[in-house]
Amino acid sequence: MAEKHTADPVEIMRATGHPELEYAAGWTIAGLATIGTIVAVWVFAI
């Protein structure tokens, strides 16, 4: 028999992580992608 989830849907949708960490990770990934694109254009002379 499957157990029914008793949490309120509002509680499920609420962010429970670390927004500062997610913010920093997002900017880091975006920055690395930008630098990677610039380097690829430079190296391959696109």
Side-chain angles (χ1 to χ4, degrees):
M1 181 173 167
E3 295 181 19
K4 185 175 179 180
H5 195 57
T6 59
D8 185 19
V10 174
E11 293 295 324
I12 294 171
M13 293 301 292
R14 185 176 298 151
T16 58
H18 301 284
E20 297 86 9
L21 182 62
E22 294 166 2
Y23 181 81
W27 275 107
T28 301
I29 292 168
L32 291 174
T34 302
I35 291 170
T37 302
I38 292 169
V39 169
V41 168
W42 180 39
V43 168
F44 297 111
I46 299 174

Coordinates of all heavy atoms in Angstrom, one line a residue:
M1 N 0.8 -1.2 0.0 CA 0.0 0.0 0.0 C 0.9 1.2 0.0 O 1.8 1.4 0.8 CB -0.9 0.0 1.2 CG -1.8 1.1 1.3 SD -2.9 0.8 2.7 CE -3.6 2.4 2.9
A2 N 0.6 2.1 -0.9 CA 1.4 3.4 -1.0 C 1.0 4.3 0.1 O -0.2 4.5 0.4 CB 1.2 4.0 -2.4
E3 N 2.0 5.0 0.6 CA 1.8 6.0 1.6 C 1.4 7.3 0.9 O 1.9 7.7 -0.1 CB 3.0 6.3 2.5 CG 3.4 5.1 3.3 CD 4.6 5.3 4.1 OE1 4.9 6.5 4.4 OE2 5.3 4.4 4.5
K4 N 0.4 8.0 1.5 CA -0.1 9.3 1.0 C 0.8 10.4 1.5 O 1.1 10.4 2.7 CB -1.5 9.5 1.3 CG -2.1 10.8 0.7 CD -3.5 10.9 1.0 CE -4.0 12.2 0.3 NZ -5.4 12.5 0.5
H5 N 1.2 11.3 0.7 CA 2.0 12.4 1.1 C 1.1 13.4 1.8 O 0.1 13.9 1.3 CB 2.7 13.1 -0.2 CG 3.8 14.0 0.2 ND1 4.9 13.6 0.9 CD2 4.0 15.3 -0.1 CE1 5.7 14.6 1.0 NE2 5.2 15.7 0.4
T6 N 1.5 13.8 3.0 CA 0.7 14.7 3.8 C 1.1 16.1 3.8 O 0.4 16.9 4.5 CB 0.6 14.1 5.3 OG1 2.0 14.1 5.8 CG2 0.0 12.7 5.3
A7 N 2.2 16.5 3.1 CA 2.6 17.9 3.2 C 1.7 18.7 2.4 O 1.1 18.3 1.4 CB 4.0 18.0 2.6
D8 N 1.6 20.0 2.8 CA 0.7 21.0 2.1 C 1.4 21.3 0.8 O 2.6 21.5 0.8 CB 0.6 22.2 3.0 CG -0.3 23.3 2.4 OD1 -1.1 22.9 1.6 OD2 -0.2 24.4 2.9
P9 N 0.7 21.4 -0.3 CA 1.3 21.8 -1.6 C 2.1 23.1 -1.6 O 3.1 23.2 -2.2 CB 0.1 21.9 -2.6 CG -0.9 21.0 -2.0 CD -0.7 21.1 -0.5
V10 N 1.7 24.0 -0.7 CA 2.4 25.3 -0.6 C 3.8 25.0 0.0 O 4.8 25.6 -0.4 CB 1.6 26.3 0.3 CG1 2.4 27.5 0.6 CG2 0.3 26.6 -0.4
E11 N 3.9 24.1 0.9 CA 5.1 23.8 1.5 C 6.1 23.1 0.5 O 7.3 23.3 0.5 CB 4.9 22.9 2.8 CG 4.2 23.5 3.9 CD 5.1 24.6 4.5 OE1 6.3 24.5 4.6 OE2 4.5 25.7 4.9
I12 N 5.5 22.3 -0.3 CA 6.3 21.6 -1.3 C 6.9 22.6 -2.3 O 8.0 22.4 -2.7 CB 5.4 20.5 -2.1 CG1 5.0 19.4 -1.1 CG2 6.2 19.9 -3.3 CD1 4.0 18.5 -1.7
M13 N 6.1 23.6 -2.7 CA 6.6 24.5 -3.7 C 7.6 25.5 -3.2 O 8.3 26.2 -3.9 CB 5.4 25.3 -4.3 CG 4.5 24.4 -5.2 SD 5.3 23.6 -6.5 CE 5.7 25.0 -7.6
R14 N 7.6 25.7 -1.9 CA 8.5 26.7 -1.3 C 9.9 26.3 -1.4 O 10.2 25.1 -1.2 CB 8.1 26.9 0.2 CG 8.9 28.0 0.9 CD 8.5 28.3 2.3 NE 7.1 28.7 2.3 CZ 6.2 28.5 3.2 NH1 6.6 27.8 4.3 NH2 5.0 29.0 3.2
A15 N 10.8 27.2 -1.7 CA 12.2 26.8 -1.9 C 12.8 26.6 -0.5 O 12.6 27.3 0.4 CB 13.0 28.0 -2.5
T16 N 13.4 25.4 -0.4 CA 14.0 25.1 0.9 C 15.5 25.0 0.9 O 16.2 24.7 1.8 CB 13.5 23.7 1.4 OG1 13.8 22.7 0.4 CG2 12.0 23.7 1.6
G17 N 16.1 25.3 -0.3 CA 17.6 25.3 -0.5 C 18.2 26.6 0.0 O 17.7 27.3 0.8
H18 N 19.4 26.8 -0.5 CA 20.2 28.0 -0.2 C 20.2 28.9 -1.4 O 21.0 28.7 -2.3 CB 21.6 27.6 0.2 CG 21.7 26.6 1.3 ND1 21.5 27.0 2.6 CD2 21.9 25.3 1.3 CE1 21.6 26.0 3.4 NE2 21.8 24.9 2.7
P19 N 19.4 29.9 -1.4 CA 19.3 30.8 -2.6 C 20.6 31.5 -2.9 O 20.9 31.7 -4.1 CB 18.2 31.8 -2.2 CG 17.8 31.6 -0.9 CD 18.4 30.3 -0.4
E20 N 21.4 31.9 -1.9 CA 22.6 32.5 -2.2 C 23.6 31.6 -3.0 O 24.3 32.0 -3.9 CB 23.3 33.0 -0.9 CG 22.5 34.0 -0.1 CD 21.5 33.4 0.8 OE1 21.5 32.1 1.0 OE2 20.7 34.1 1.4
L21 N 23.6 30.3 -2.6 CA 24.5 29.3 -3.2 C 24.0 29.1 -4.7 O 24.8 29.0 -5.6 CB 24.4 28.0 -2.4 CG 25.3 26.9 -3.0 CD1 26.8 27.3 -3.0 CD2 25.1 25.7 -2.2
E22 N 22.7 29.0 -4.9 CA 22.1 28.8 -6.2 C 22.4 30.0 -7.1 O 22.7 29.9 -8.3 CB 20.6 28.5 -6.1 CG 20.3 27.2 -5.4 CD 18.9 27.1 -5.0 OE1 18.1 28.0 -5.3 OE2 18.5 26.1 -4.4
Y23 N 22.3 31.2 -6.5 CA 22.6 32.5 -7.2 C 24.0 32.5 -7.7 O 24.3 32.8 -8.9 CB 22.3 33.6 -6.3 CG 22.5 35.0 -6.9 CD1 21.5 35.6 -7.8 CD2 23.6 35.7 -6.7 CE1 21.7 36.8 -8.3 CE2 23.8 37.0 -7.2 CZ 22.8 37.5 -8.1 OH 23.0 38.8 -8.6
A24 N 25.0 32.2 -6.8 CA 26.4 32.2 -7.1 C 26.7 31.1 -8.1 O 27.5 31.4 -9.0 CB 27.2 32.0 -5.8
A25 N 26.1 30.0 -8.0 CA 26.4 28.9 -8.9 C 25.9 29.2 -10.3 O 26.6 29.0 -11.3 CB 25.7 27.6 -8.4
G26 N 24.7 29.9 -10.4 CA 24.2 30.3 -11.7 C 25.1 31.3 -12.4 O 25.4 31.2 -13.6
W27 N 25.6 32.3 -11.6 CA 26.5 33.3 -12.2 C 27.8 32.7 -12.6 O 28.4 33.1 -13.6 CB 26.7 34.5 -11.3 CG 25.6 35.5 -11.4 CD1 24.6 35.7 -10.5 CD2 25.4 36.4 -12.5 NE1 23.8 36.7 -11.0 CE2 24.2 37.1 -12.2 CE3 26.0 36.6 -13.7 CZ2 23.7 38.1 -13.0 CZ3 25.5 37.6 -14.5 CH2 24.4 38.3 -14.2
T28 N 28.3 31.7 -11.8 CA 29.5 31.1 -12.1 C 29.4 30.3 -13.4 O 30.3 30.4 -14.3 CB 30.0 30.1 -11.0 OG1 30.1 30.9 -9.8 CG2 31.3 29.4 -11.3
I29 N 28.3 29.5 -13.6 CA 28.1 28.7 -14.8 C 28.0 29.7 -16.0 O 28.5 29.4 -17.1 CB 26.9 27.8 -14.6 CG1 27.2 26.7 -13.6 CG2 26.5 27.2 -16.0 CD1 26.0 26.0 -13.1
A30 N 27.2 30.7 -15.8 CA 27.0 31.7 -16.9 C 28.4 32.3 -17.3 O 28.7 32.5 -18.5 CB 26.0 32.8 -16.5
G31 N 29.2 32.7 -16.3 CA 30.5 33.3 -16.6 C 31.4 32.3 -17.3 O 32.1 32.7 -18.3
L32 N 31.5 31.1 -16.9 CA 32.3 30.1 -17.5 C 31.8 29.8 -19.0 O 32.7 29.6 -19.9 CB 32.3 28.8 -16.7 CG 33.1 28.9 -15.4 CD1 32.9 27.6 -14.6 CD2 34.5 29.2 -15.6
A33 N 30.5 29.8 -19.2 CA 30.0 29.6 -20.5 C 30.4 30.7 -21.4 O 30.8 30.5 -22.6 CB 28.5 29.4 -20.5
T34 N 30.3 32.0 -20.9 CA 30.7 33.1 -21.7 C 32.2 33.1 -22.0 O 32.6 33.3 -23.2 CB 30.4 34.4 -20.9 OG1 29.0 34.4 -20.6 CG2 30.7 35.6 -21.7
I35 N 33.0 32.8 -21.0 CA 34.5 32.8 -21.3 C 34.8 31.6 -22.3 O 35.6 31.8 -23.2 CB 35.2 32.6 -20.0 CG1 35.1 33.9 -19.1 CG2 36.7 32.2 -20.2 CD1 35.6 33.7 -17.7
G36 N 34.1 30.5 -22.1 CA 34.3 29.4 -23.1 C 34.0 29.7 -24.5 O 34.7 29.4 -25.4
T37 N 32.9 30.5 -24.6 CA 32.5 30.9 -26.0 C 33.5 31.9 -26.6 O 33.9 31.8 -27.8 CB 31.1 31.6 -25.9 OG1 30.1 30.7 -25.4 CG2 30.6 32.1 -27.3
I38 N 34.0 32.8 -25.8 CA 35.0 33.8 -26.3 C 36.2 33.1 -26.7 O 36.8 33.3 -27.7 CB 35.2 34.9 -25.2 CG1 34.0 35.7 -25.0 CG2 36.5 35.7 -25.5 CD1 34.1 36.7 -23.8
V39 N 36.7 32.1 -25.8 CA 37.9 31.4 -26.1 C 37.7 30.5 -27.4 O 38.6 30.4 -28.2 CB 38.3 30.5 -24.9 CG1 39.4 29.5 -25.3 CG2 38.8 31.4 -23.8
A40 N 36.6 29.9 -27.6 CA 36.3 29.1 -28.7 C 36.3 29.9 -30.0 O 36.9 29.5 -31.0 CB 35.0 28.4 -28.6
V41 N 35.7 31.1 -30.0 CA 35.7 32.0 -31.1 C 37.2 32.4 -31.4 O 37.6 32.5 -32.6 CB 34.8 33.2 -30.9 CG1 35.0 34.3 -31.9 CG2 33.4 32.8 -30.8
W42 N 38.0 32.7 -30.4 CA 39.3 33.2 -30.6 C 40.2 32.0 -31.1 O 41.0 32.2 -32.1 CB 39.8 33.7 -29.2 CG 41.3 34.1 -29.2 CD1 41.9 34.9 -30.2 CD2 42.2 34.0 -28.2 NE1 43.2 35.2 -29.9 CE2 43.4 34.6 -28.6 CE3 42.2 33.4 -27.0 CZ2 44.6 34.6 -27.8 CZ3 43.3 33.4 -26.2 CH2 44.5 34.0 -26.6
V43 N 40.1 30.8 -30.5 CA 41.0 29.7 -31.0 C 40.6 29.3 -32.4 O 41.5 29.0 -33.2 CB 40.8 28.6 -30.0 CG1 41.5 27.3 -30.5 CG2 41.4 28.9 -28.6
F44 N 39.3 29.1 -32.7 CA 38.9 28.6 -34.0 C 38.7 29.7 -35.0 O 38.4 29.5 -36.2 CB 37.7 27.8 -33.9 CG 37.9 26.6 -33.0 CD1 37.3 26.5 -31.8 CD2 38.7 25.5 -33.4 CE1 37.5 25.3 -31.0 CE2 38.9 24.4 -32.7 CZ 38.3 24.3 -31.4
A45 N 38.9 31.0 -34.6 CA 38.8 32.1 -35.5 C 37.5 32.1 -36.3 O 37.5 32.3 -37.5 CB 40.0 32.2 -36.5
I46 N 36.4 31.9 -35.6 CA 35.1 31.8 -36.2 C 34.7 33.2 -36.6 O 34.7 34.1 -35.9 CB 34.1 31.2 -35.2 CG1 34.5 29.8 -34.9 CG2 32.7 31.2 -35.8 CD1 33.7 29.1 -33.9

